Amino acid sequence: MPTNRYYSGPTSDHFDGTRFFSPGHPFNKSRTDLLKWQFGGGKVAWPKAYPGEPFDVPPARVAGSGLRVTSIGHASVLIQTFGLNILIDPVWSERASPVAWAGPKRVNPPGIRFEDLPPIDVVLVSHNHYDHMDIATLSRLRRRHGFRLITPLGNDRILAGADSELTAETHDWGARVPLGDGLAVHFLPSHHWSARGLGDRLMALWAAFMIETPAGAIYHIADTGYRDGALFREAGRLFPHIRLAILPIGAYEPRWFMRDQHVNPEEAVRILRDCGADRALAHHWGTFRLTNEGIEEPPRALGEALAAAGIAPERFRVQRPGGVLDLTSAP
């Protein structure tokens, strides 16, 4: 039986002693399935360049209940609220890949120039896939900012193995981690999986984040399948006031392969309704080509899903890298 190279701990409802899993919904796609998808055709071509909005130059801090969220590209966002600067899944590299010469290449630059970043207090890394855990970027950030690096179980071993000075705090689903001044991050489950290579599938945990603030919560889901929606209804029950949900809308075709791990835009709208968030911001689209759909298909499909659900488009915003959702005057 294989051993887990990243984590050793007691079994639970989502850890069998070797691998992590989603209770009742195990990830069961095989390498044969992967090859069937990769060689099955149906991929829509992407442009070589898909410019974002003008580069954002964030303020040093956003005080009090103000909330400012900058889209950096793909799943990377900067959240500024209550004087705290939080980066989630930061990727400034040209490729989301284990190598610099191959793999998905970005079609737009990061929405904030690296040198224009404000002081970073907290970095949250949701899981170890290369489009979310970019060790080159994390090491670069470490050399410039004295932040707390917080991530699910097992990922600390991956980070330290690549850069011995990348010290991470790791937590399980259900953890509440204080960030100071009334803020905390909660680790919530999602339907996803993990791997950095061929021999470590499901050996590190993944998570969604709920950032608790005195003005309401901020729900960030990096990657997830929808399944029966119970996770998202439970999130809304646990956190009755979700001020903003940052939800993925891309990397979802073909559905037979992706539905267990990535929601499509219609399912993202369901998540918004399930959790009851005041507003939503789309991410995980338009920077790295990972799957079959065209680059503009996610926002188009999202608009159709919102109209079908009777939800005003301004409640679920789509923005390109450099775009800013500024709620600094909102309660």
Side-chain angles (χ1 to χ4, degrees):
M1 184 174 180
T3 59
N4 190 314
R5 67 184 73 173
Y6 305 138
Y7 175 73
S8 176
T11 60
S12 70
D13 69 343
H14 56 277
F15 181 64
D16 64 9
T18 302
R19 301 184 192 275
F20 294 94
F21 58 93
S22 292
H25 301 283
F27 181 77
N28 59 6
K29 293 296 184 291
S30 67
R31 293 177 189 172
T32 300
D33 291 327
L34 176 63
L35 292 172
K36 178 182 174 183
W37 162 43
Q38 288 295 314
F39 293 100
K43 292 185 178 180
V44 178
W46 274 35
K48 291 184 178 179
Y50 188 68
E53 301 181 31
F55 291 110
D56 181 39
V57 181
R61 303 281 176 185
V62 171
S65 62
L67 173 60
R68 192 178 192 276
V69 182
T70 306
S71 296
I72 294 164
H74 194 58
S76 306
V77 295
L78 170 67
I79 298 173
Q80 297 181 279
T81 191
F82 285 93
L84 203 68
N85 294 331
I86 303 170
L87 270 177
I88 302 183
D89 289 353
V91 178
W92 262 258
S93 293
E94 279 297 300
R95 294 186 186 271
S97 171
V99 296
W101 47 268
K105 185 176 182 180
R106 63 189 321 136
V107 296
N108 37 53
I112 303 172
R113 293 185 180 95
F114 194 84
E115 59 270 21
D116 289 334
L117 279 170
I120 301 302
D121 305 298
V122 176
V123 174
L124 303 177
V125 175
S126 63
H127 64 292
N128 67 16
H129 287 155
Y130 288 93
D131 57 321
H132 295 262
M133 179 190 283
D134 179 22
I135 293 175
T137 293
L138 294 170
S139 294
R140 189 179 177 192
L141 285 166
R142 174 190 58 74
R143 292 191 290 269
R144 180 167 178 163
H145 301 271
F147 57 84
R148 291 175 66 185
L149 178 53
I150 303 174
T151 187
L153 297 174
N155 291 304
D156 55 335
R157 295 287 298 276
I158 299 168
L159 294 163
D163 179 346
S164 61
E165 296 189 46
L166 278 177
T167 302
E169 307 170 31
T170 59
H171 300 276
D172 200 354
W173 292 347
R176 178 184 184 273
V177 184
L179 302 177
D181 295 327
L183 277 70
V185 59
H186 297 253
F187 281 61
L188 300 186
S190 64
H191 296 304
H192 201 53
W193 61 292
S194 66
R196 295 288 279 185
L198 296 177
D200 65 344
R201 179 179 287 196
L202 305 175
M203 290 187 178
L205 187 59
W206 54 94
F209 299 118
M210 189 74 78
I211 301 170
E212 170 192 341
T213 86
I218 303 164
Y219 188 21
H220 184 282
I221 302 175
D223 283 338
T224 190
Y226 184 77
R227 305 291 183 137
D228 59 4
L231 292 185
F232 317 113
R233 293 188 291 274
E234 177 67 3
R237 186 189 70 79
L238 292 173
F239 298 89
H241 180 203
I242 299 176
R243 188 177 182 188
L244 177 67
I246 304 173
L247 304 177
I249 66 164
Y252 54 83
E253 291 289 353
R255 293 311 290 149
W256 71 266
F257 188 85
M258 289 294 165
R259 72 173 66 252
D260 294 337
Q261 53 191 308
H262 290 166
V263 295
N264 63 18
E266 189 271 333
E267 290 166 329
V269 172
R270 286 192 216 169
I271 294 175
L272 173 60
R273 299 182 74 170
D274 288 341
C275 73
D278 295 345
R279 304 178 69 153
L281 176 65
H283 76 103
H284 209 267
W285 77 281
T287 293
F288 295 110
R289 182 191 178 193
L290 303 178
T291 52
N292 285 13
E293 74 275 3
I295 196 167
E296 294 187 335
E297 178 62 17
R300 186 198 64 77
L302 178 65
E304 292 180 353
L306 290 170
I311 297 174
E314 57 266 23
R315 188 177 167 200
F316 199 148
R317 179 165 171 173
V318 177
Q319 57 194 30
R320 295 190 187 183
V324 177
L325 177 63
D326 193 345
L327 303 178
T328 54
S329 62

